[in-house]
RNA sequence: GCGGGCGUGGCGGAACUGGUAGACGCAACGGACUUAAAAUCCGUAGGGGGGCGACCCCCGUGCCGGUUCGAUUCCGGCCGCCCGCACCA
């Protein structure tokens, strides 16, 4: 149970309940629901991330990472909610405002704990290539998120005085098109200049206030301030460039400073146009004349030949990049560099319902790890969530401890770990849930996880963190694997129609009656009859009240019909629009299956001579086993259930009255297979059927049926016969019939023959057991 | 802007590596059973046209074009929708 986090704190704040009691109550409820669904879970391995037995071990490995410099503290910019007095995750900032307080979020410098995920950036990128059972989409998203780029880190020396400014660029080929340098507002050099320049100081403040929302960024005007400082061009000391501060330069990417090449970068171009800086093209697109080529409102970012660029002239873009890097390195002006978009993972949260960071602040000894014998560092029993801010920091006694080093008065760290830390290693704990060590010896036997299942929303959060933590723990000698999840399946979201009253109020589906009038559907309030507006299907959420619990269906139709319905409705990787239309079909299937087992005496399988009906049934049985098995392997549960529908249809239409011994045997085989095939979908029904057949024990632990390949394929194939690509008839040919045999059958066919009158067959295409095609031309 | 995906009947959706498009289910319609209804069972069904009839023909997987004996599937260009990232130098 991923049990720490905001929902419990919110409930505590809003209703005054204890977050622990609230969480454990929800777990009890969910456990009952899962059991009711008949899921096959090993409850002996159950734990919650809020158990001290779990988070204490998490604290243990956190301290190991700290000792290895994989965890560290630094000052960083965070989203600060001034009303709730807490740091917010990026996801909790909506349009620049705190999601609960609605207050404008400030960017604030705080000293925070970080995990050094960037040390593994390259390995995490390379590792993606080995994940051949992961969806491409997730791999691409992680690749983009890690964002590896190669370029040049380059120094521009000050025109006056010592030193210079470091700039990162991926386009060193365009260096001769430079017309300015631009610093981020948070760049230290900008800060130092501001001390003597009030106007600059004001500009920097304005920049920091700028919204962080997508819309704000989209529409944000390029703003700049000329600091008056000048730097020398690294390839031409006589060429001086102005140093600006610009609001579009980010401090936490590259070096926080860029050189602007307006002709070949759209942002630089907008900036240059606004402040009337030079726009000098240095990449000539193919087919353009160097004398007439001009850059208008669109920067040219495509390929071309370098010109106006001294020693780079005549080179193509890629060659010019290499040449520029070589020259810069030779002149000791810069080095080729690899830069990642990925940042270190800030894990400090000013929250009370999370895993305490097991560190003690001592005024004499500095940061001291909590001694191992004191782990787990437990949360206090009583926490007051009624006020904004961190209840741990406010707690009267909890944080006051003696320093483990000097014994003097000291304070505990009151930040807790991001809950994504909790979920980044639980799979390893599952593998050996009662081990004394955080990760027990059995983990090596079980891991990696064969098949992981989760929503796409975790593509770059949980799934990246878990891959990183796995490697970090591996390097601590705690794990032997590189990748935690060998196979990944991303299931879709469940959506539901939304309903609103005329006044805009949302109405929950339970309270809605749908009136079907021919093709039109109308929604009415089930009690008052008030007409409602039917809205789009959206992800189920409390705010839109479009949530439906499967338990409601289970109350009417039972768990097995509900499970069959949910699985048969649509493929699991797709979003589904929840509707109960169709659940009747699953209900019928359950009843039909049971009728097959219940309606007639169970007769033992006992051989019998050949009989066409029996053979047909055996073929249907083995064909179904094959089809269902393959569909399950491919996660096509809807197709698997469709095959079961067909199979049950076959059973029903095969008369049991007056059956030959062979048919009785075939039927017994069919029912045996059916019970096993149905078990994953409708376990309770399957057990009942299994017992009805007189078996001992559970079908749940019985083996999966095995098909006979000879029986799974039809021995007679229906081959469509095409003439010039259009279907003109069909023949029945024995399986594996040769081209000549098929030609014989076509020639002899009374329907196809006449259609070949007056034409000449110039080509005969035969795909064995599939199709025949006659290509003709006029005779 | 960049990256990825999707588009098939009234609906959810099938169709293996190019080989009978619409499996299976829902809804619908017709029939049987019933005093009646529900339930259940049987049957019909992409669109259009022809034939008394068993049947036959044409069109059809967002649109236009291409490759191929054959395209829902491959290629090019549009249109529409969805998701992710985003001032990343």
């Amino acid at each position: 149970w991923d049990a720490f986090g905001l929902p419990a704190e919110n409930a505590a704040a809003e209703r005054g309940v204890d977050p622990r009691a609230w969480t454990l109550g929800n777990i009890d409820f969910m456990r009952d629901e899962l059991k009711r669904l008949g899921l096959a879970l090993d409850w002996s391995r159950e734990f919650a991330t809020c158990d001290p037995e779990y988070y204490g071990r998490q604290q243990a490995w956190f301290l190991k990472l700290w000792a290895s410099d994989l965890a560290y503290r630094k000052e960083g910019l965070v989203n600060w909610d001034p009303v709730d007095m807490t740091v917010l995750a990026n996801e909790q900032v909506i349009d620049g405002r705190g999601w609960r307080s609605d207050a404008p979020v400030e960017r604030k410098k705080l000293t925070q704990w970080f995990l050094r995920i960037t040390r593994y950036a390259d390995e995490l990128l390379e590792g993606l290539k080995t994940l051949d059972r992961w969806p491409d989409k997730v791999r691409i998203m992680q690749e983009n998120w890690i964002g590896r780029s190669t370029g040049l880190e380059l120094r521009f020396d000050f025109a006056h005085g010592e030193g210079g400014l470091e700039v990162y660029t991926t386009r060193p080929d365009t260096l001769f098109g430079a017309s300015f340098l631009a610093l981020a507002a948070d760049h230290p050099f900008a800060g130092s200049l501001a001390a003597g320049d009030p106007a600059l100081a004001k500009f920097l403040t304005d920049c920091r206030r700028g919204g962080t929302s997508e819309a704000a960024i989209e529409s944000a005007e390029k703003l700049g301030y000329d600091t008056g400082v000048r730097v020398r061009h690294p390839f031409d000391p006589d060429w001086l460039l102005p140093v600006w501060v610009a609001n579009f330069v980010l401090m936490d990417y590259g070096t926080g400073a860029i050189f602007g090449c307006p002709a070949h970068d759209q942002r630089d171009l907008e900036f240059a146009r606004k402040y009337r800086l030079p726009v000098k093209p240095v990449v000539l697109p193919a087919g353009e004349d160097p004398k007439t080529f001009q850059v208008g409102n669109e920067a040219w970012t495509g390929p071309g030949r370098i010109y106006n660029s001294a020693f780079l002239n005549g080179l193509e873009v890629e060659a010019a990049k290499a040449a520029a890097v070589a020259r810069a390195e030779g002149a000791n002006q810069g080095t080729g560099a690899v830069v990642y978009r990925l940042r270190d993972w800030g894990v400090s949260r000013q929250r009370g319902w999370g895993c305490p960071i097991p560190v003690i602040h001592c005024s004499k000894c500095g940061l001291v790890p909590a001694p191992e014998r004191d782990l787990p560092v437990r949360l206090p029993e009583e926490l007051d969530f009624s006020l904004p801010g961190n209840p741990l920091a406010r707690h009267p006694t909890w944080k006051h401890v003696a320093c483990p080093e000097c014994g003097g008065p000291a304070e505990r760290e009151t930040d807790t770990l991001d809950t994504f830390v909790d979920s980044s290693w639980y799979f390893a704990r599952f593998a050996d849930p009662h081990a004394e060590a955080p990760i027990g010896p059995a983990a090596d036997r079980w891991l990696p996880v064969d098949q992981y299942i989760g929503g796409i929303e975790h593509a770059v959060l949980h799934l990246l963190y878990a891959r990183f933590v796995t490697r970090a723990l591996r390097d601590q000698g705690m794990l032997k694997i590189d990748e935690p999840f060998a196979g990944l399946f991303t299931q879709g979201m469940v959506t539901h129609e939304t309903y609103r009253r005329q006044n805009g109020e949302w109405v929950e589906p339970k309270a809605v009656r749908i009136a079907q009038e021919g093709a039109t559907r109308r929604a009415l309030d089930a009690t008052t009859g008030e007409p409602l507006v039917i809205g789009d299907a959206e992800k189920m959420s409390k705010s839109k009240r479009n949530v439906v619990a499967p338990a409601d269906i289970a109350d009417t139709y039972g768990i097995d019909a509900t499970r069959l319905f949910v699985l048969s409705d649509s493929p699991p990787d797709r979003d589904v629009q929840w509707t109960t239309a169709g659940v009747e079909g699953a209900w019928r299937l359950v009843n039909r299956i049971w009728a097959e087992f219940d309606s007639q005496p169970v007769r033992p399988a006992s051989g019998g001579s050949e009989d066409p009906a029996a053979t047909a049934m055996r073929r249907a049985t083995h064909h179904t086993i094959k089809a269902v098995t393959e569909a399950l392997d491919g996660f096509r549960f809807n197709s698997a259930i469709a095959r079961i529908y067909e199979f049950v249809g076959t059973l029903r239409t095969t008369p049991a009255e007056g059956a030959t011994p062979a048919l009785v045997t075939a039927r017994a085989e069919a029912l045996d297979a059916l019970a096993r095939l149905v078990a994953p979908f409708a376990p309770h029904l399957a057990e009942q059927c299994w017992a009805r057949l007189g078996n001992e024990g559970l079908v749940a632990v019985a083996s999966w049926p095995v098909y006979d390949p000879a029986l799974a394929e039809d021995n007679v194939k229906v081959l469509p016969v095409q003439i010039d690509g259009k279907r003109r008839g069909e023949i029945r040919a024995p399986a594996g019939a040769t081209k000549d045999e098929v030609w014989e059958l076509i020639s002899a066919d009374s329907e196809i023959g006449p259609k070949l009158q007056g034409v000449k067959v110039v080509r005969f295409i035969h795909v064995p057991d599939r199709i025949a095609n006659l290509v003709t031309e006029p005779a």
Side-chain angles (χ1 to χ4, degrees), chain A residues 172-494:
Chain A
D173 55 309
T174 64
L175 263 166
F176 286 95
S179 57
F180 62 94
L181 255 63
L183 307 177
D186 296 314
H187 196 283
F189 184 64
S192 66
L193 289 177
D197 183 346
L200 175 58
K202 181 178 184 305
F203 179 77
L204 298 185
T205 315
D206 291 346
C207 282
R208 288 194 192 102
R209 200 179 295 147
T212 54
S213 72
E214 285 181 23
I217 289 167
E218 192 97 28
S219 58
E221 206 183 338
K222 302 275 178 289
L223 294 174
Y225 182 92
D226 185 354
T227 63
V229 174
R230 296 296 177 263
V231 291
R232 298 184 192 282
H233 193 283
F235 295 150
D236 180 359
D238 296 331
W239 181 0
L240 299 187
L241 293 165
V243 177
W244 289 64
V245 176
N247 65 342
F248 66 92
V249 181
L250 306 172
M251 186 58 220
D252 46 9
Y253 184 79
T255 62
I258 62 160
F259 84 84
C261 176
H264 304 295
D265 184 285
Q266 191 59 33
R267 293 154 307 176
D268 297 348
L269 183 63
E270 287 167 29
F271 191 76
R273 291 284 185 234
K274 175 157 183 182
Y275 293 105
R276 300 178 193 284
L277 294 160
V279 179
K280 175 185 164 194
V282 291
V283 180
L284 188 67
E288 290 284 348
D289 184 335
K291 293 188 183 66
T292 55
F293 178 62
Q294 285 196 326
V295 170
N297 291 323
E298 298 267 323
W300 174 254
T301 55
R305 197 169 287 277
I306 308 297
Y307 70 129
N308 291 338
S309 295
F311 68 93
L312 296 176
N313 281 344
L315 295 174
E316 294 292 332
V317 165
E318 287 309 315
K321 284 180 181 174
V325 170
R327 176 70 66 105
E329 287 182 340
N332 231 0
Q333 285 287 134
T335 48
V338 175
V339 165
Y340 297 92
R341 210 190 73 113
L342 185 70
R343 321 262 164 76
D344 275 338
W345 175 16
V347 293
S348 293
R349 296 291 182 271
Q350 290 69 45
R351 295 284 176 186
W353 187 237
C355 171
I357 295 174
V359 172
I360 292 157
H361 299 260
C362 172
S363 53
K364 278 192 210 144
C365 311
L367 288 176
V368 181
E372 216 178 312
R373 62 177 184 277
D374 290 351
L375 299 186
V377 174
R378 287 170 183 268
L379 289 170
E381 291 296 319
E382 298 285 319
L383 279 175
D384 175 15
F385 288 89
S386 62
L387 299 168
N390 183 353
L392 272 185
R394 255 197 330 266
H395 193 276
T397 58
W398 183 78
K399 68 181 170 189
H400 301 292
V401 288
C403 170
E405 302 267 317
C406 67
E411 290 194 1
R412 290 192 188 284
E413 170 71 60
T414 58
D415 284 353
T416 54
L417 289 171
D418 181 5
T419 55
F420 276 113
V421 178
D422 309 338
S423 57
S424 68
W425 72 289
Y426 76 92
F427 47 88
R429 187 69 193 159
F430 268 145
D432 201 344
H434 309 297
E436 189 50 42
I439 297 168
D444 290 334
R445 204 165 67 234
W446 285 103
L447 297 177
V449 175
D450 299 299
Q451 183 62 57
Y452 204 49
I453 301 166
I456 189 74
E457 71 272 18
H458 290 125
V460 287
L461 293 171
H462 167 60
L463 289 170
L464 189 61
Y465 295 146
R467 294 182 62 223
F468 154 62
V469 168
T470 297
R471 286 172 164 79
L473 296 181
R474 174 202 64 195
D475 290 346
Q476 301 305 310
M478 301 171 77
L479 277 173
K480 292 197 173 113
I481 51 167
D482 298 330
E483 290 289 345
F485 312 123
L488 172 68
F489 185 88
T490 52
Q491 92 268 44
M493 287 186 309
V494 182

Side-chain angles (χ1 to χ4, degrees), chain A residues 33 97 109 111 126-127 143 154 182 198 204 280 309 312 364 395 420 426 521 556 561 623 690 707 745 751:
Chain A
E33 289 289 290
R97 290 171 179 273
K109 276 190 177 172
T111 303
E126 288 300 306
E143 202 176 305
L154 183 66
L204 298 185
K280 175 185 164 194
S309 295
L312 296 176
K364 278 192 210 144
H395 193 276
F420 276 113
Y426 76 92
R521 295 173 72 245
T556 311
H623 176 79
W690 189 245
Y707 62 87
L745 287 162
E751 280 185 21

Side-chain angles (χ1 to χ4, degrees), chain A residues 15 139 157 341 395 454:
Chain A
R15 282 172 260 166
R139 290 193 292 184
D157 294 322
R341 210 190 73 113
H395 193 276

Side-chain angles (χ1 to χ4, degrees), chain A residues 76-88:
Chain A
L77 282 171
V78 295
N79 302 305
W80 180 256
D81 185 322
V83 171
D84 280 350
M85 293 198 292
T86 183
V87 168
L88 297 180

